[in-house]
Amino acid sequence: MAEKRESIHGQWSSRWAFILAATGSAVGLGNIWKFPYITGENGGGAFVAVYLICILLIGIPIMMAEVMLGRRGRRSPINAMRHLASEEGASPHWKYLGWAGVIAGFLILSYYSVIAGWALAYIFRAASGSFVGVGAEGIGTMFGHFIGDPEALIAWHTLFMVMTMVVVARGVRGGLEAAVRFLMPGLFILLIVMVGYALNTGHFNEGLAFLFTPNFDKLTGNGLLIAMGHAFFTLSLGMGAIMVYGSYLPSKASITKTVVIIAAADTLVALLAGMAIFPIVFAYGLEPGSGPGLIFQTLPIAFGQMPGGVLFGTFFFILLLFAAWSSSISLVEPAVAWLIENHGMTRKSAAIWCGVITWFVGLGTVFSFNYLSGEEFRLFGKTFFDLLDFLTSNVMLPLGGLLIAVFSAWIMRPEDAREEMRMGYPKAFALWHFLVRYVTPIGVSVVFLRAIGAI
Ligand code: PFF
């Protein structure tokens, strides 16, 4: 019986503990750093509309599937997939889905840590009053100098990686649960304060119109793929992070309610970030499509001008750091759980191994903003960082999600899925099953084919 199964790594203390941890994983740099800049690069409204549709029709059903598989497997994603496949009479090769997730997690963490390092550095800039009275141009120059200095970036990247591995070594459940409980609401409140500031820029409506007025002529096939990829990235889907968290979920908890709460919180944070940033972009005549530096070039202008800006700015970057921290630990948890299960490693040595490897890969991202930023070091016009981001968010995660959908709805016996889902209403199960069986796989495939110009 599935109920009797227990993860050797323990369980969350309650459903709420899982919600906090999974929201901690979902809400991160993806919402506050990435969502605004890719929205800016892809023309705004239509991109946001596709992203929201993907969250609803693809993201939520796949998140439910991942939690369900994790809870039924009660092991790291690699072992859970192997075990569930044998239980369902399918090929043991399904374990490679777990492997692909582990690799995606390493690759994402390698650059995630570098960008989280930027947030870390900006805490000190904000606190020391570096933004006070500095205009848009000065803030831009400051950022340019910062990313042009590889040694500084490496130092911050190292610090963040160490912070991540310390928490992973102590066990995800003990480490950040308490912090997330207070910091998530704090982040939320600060974003509302920033939206309040944006209301007074005189360009709030322009910002809103940019975000919410869809103009589908502006959306390319590639933009469509980026919007879908971001739905996976922002909800931490397609690589086993949510699956491994699901494996620690108590058997009785309702998967549907839990997942809807997480997805709603995540989406709200992203939209608030957009509403805080774009009015500033337009008020200061900045370029919405200016890339990964967007929040570091916009919000500091606001912090430099508003009353109490030193305090707000410092808090903002501290909260951003925590949001990134609670996401980064989930990126290596599938690998760490597997190393413990299959290689008898202690949590601590598993964390050190993972940290060292990802730290090295991260150097490629550090150099993408300085030594290797020139045209001669680009492939298809993309830097190492751009390529890594594209490969993980737009290829690996959606493919992983597609296979998770295929496994849950085509390989797994519906009665097994139904038993694990424990939904009160038969119609709700039927709807979920229909979505993962048809809508998700077809949706993801269509977006892939459109992006390569095949349709
Ligand atoms: N969801 C995180 C964010 O939006 O910042 C990033 C992430 C974490 C992606 C964990 C994937 C993952 F497994």
Side-chain angles (χ1 to χ4, degrees), residues 34 103-112 114 233 358 360-366 368 379 382-397:
K34 191 172 177 190
I103 296 168
F106 272 82
L107 296 178
I108 295 175
L109 181 61
S110 78
Y111 71 80
Y112 207 83
V114 175
F233 184 88
T358 35
F360 268 108
V361 184
L363 296 181
T365 292
V366 165
S368 298
L379 204 63
K382 289 183 187 306
T383 61
F384 178 82
F385 157 71
D386 292 330
L387 285 172
L388 210 56
D389 174 42
F390 191 87
L391 176 73
T392 50
S393 305
N394 305 334
V395 182
M396 296 182 81
L397 299 187

Side-chain angles (χ1 to χ4, degrees), residues 48-391:
V48 174
V50 172
Y51 153 75
L52 292 174
I53 294 170
C54 289
I55 293 281
L56 207 63
L57 292 183
I58 299 180
I60 291 179
I62 292 196
M63 193 185 246
M64 290 169 66
E66 266 205 59
V67 177
M68 184 270 286
L69 294 179
R71 185 163 75 177
R72 200 168 177 79
R74 287 274 186 233
R75 292 164 174 82
S76 69
I78 296 175
N79 290 328
M81 287 313 299
R82 202 193 42 205
H83 180 82
L84 292 174
S86 102
E87 211 170 66
E88 300 294 329
S91 156
H93 292 328
W94 277 99
K95 71 168 186 235
Y96 291 113
L97 178 54
W99 270 107
V102 165
I103 296 168
F106 272 82
L107 296 178
I108 295 175
L109 181 61
S110 78
Y111 71 80
Y112 207 83
S113 168
V114 175
I115 311 293
W118 296 2
L120 197 46
Y122 266 59
I123 295 174
F124 295 94
R125 304 212 155 175
S128 64
S130 312
F131 309 141
V132 177
V134 184
E137 214 181 292
I139 296 287
T141 315
M142 199 184 286
F143 180 72
H145 281 310
F146 174 60
I147 58 167
D149 177 357
E151 274 134 50
L153 298 191
I154 291 175
W156 295 113
H157 164 49
T158 311
L159 186 57
F160 184 79
M161 194 60 92
V162 170
M163 285 168 58
T164 298
M165 294 311 153
V166 167
V167 176
V168 172
R170 291 180 53 189
V172 171
R173 284 174 309 286
L176 275 193
E177 217 178 287
V180 175
R181 199 178 293 256
F182 297 106
L183 293 165
M184 274 301 150
L187 181 67
F188 209 70
I189 292 169
L190 229 94
L191 277 171
I192 292 178
V193 170
M194 294 311 294
V195 174
Y197 175 85
L199 267 171
N200 292 322
T201 54
H203 290 257
F204 191 68
N205 290 340
E206 208 177 326
L208 275 196
F210 182 77
L211 275 173
F212 296 115
T213 313
N215 175 356
F216 283 93
D217 296 341
K218 283 200 201 156
L219 192 65
T220 59
N222 199 36
L224 195 68
L225 177 63
I226 297 174
M228 180 184 73
H230 189 63
F232 283 93
F233 184 88
T234 193
L235 293 178
S236 308
L237 297 180
M239 54 141 289
I242 292 295
M243 200 186 289
V244 78
Y245 277 13
S247 74
Y248 311 143
L249 181 66
S251 299
K252 285 196 305 288
S254 153
I255 294 181
T256 318
K257 270 192 229 151
T258 315
V259 164
V260 168
I261 294 173
I262 299 164
D266 185 77
T267 309
L268 203 59
V269 170
L271 295 179
L272 283 176
M275 290 183 334
I277 287 163
F278 286 106
I280 302 176
V281 169
F282 295 118
Y284 291 94
L286 302 169
E287 175 48 53
S290 65
L294 189 66
I295 65 159
F296 296 93
Q297 289 162 314
T298 48
L299 294 182
I301 308 174
F303 296 134
Q305 322 246 320
M306 64 207 260
V310 170
L311 204 67
F312 281 132
T314 311
F315 270 125
F316 178 83
F317 286 111
I318 290 177
L319 294 172
L320 181 59
L321 173 74
F322 272 90
W325 202 359
S326 57
S327 299
S328 63
I329 55 176
S330 68
L331 282 161
V332 276
E333 185 61 19
V336 167
W338 178 78
L339 286 170
I340 297 171
E341 284 167 12
N342 288 39
H343 292 274
M345 275 194 191
T346 59
R347 245 186 189 276
K348 194 168 154 197
S349 36
I352 295 174
W353 272 105
C354 294
V356 169
I357 298 172
T358 35
W359 181 86
F360 268 108
V361 184
L363 296 181
T365 292
V366 165
F367 299 141
S368 298
F369 295 100
N370 34 70
Y371 297 143
L372 304 180
S373 63
E375 282 308 319
E376 67 277 27
F377 298 111
R378 289 175 186 232
L379 204 63
F380 310 116
K382 289 183 187 306
T383 61
F384 178 82
F385 157 71
D386 292 330
L387 285 172
L388 210 56
D389 174 42
F390 191 87
L391 176 73

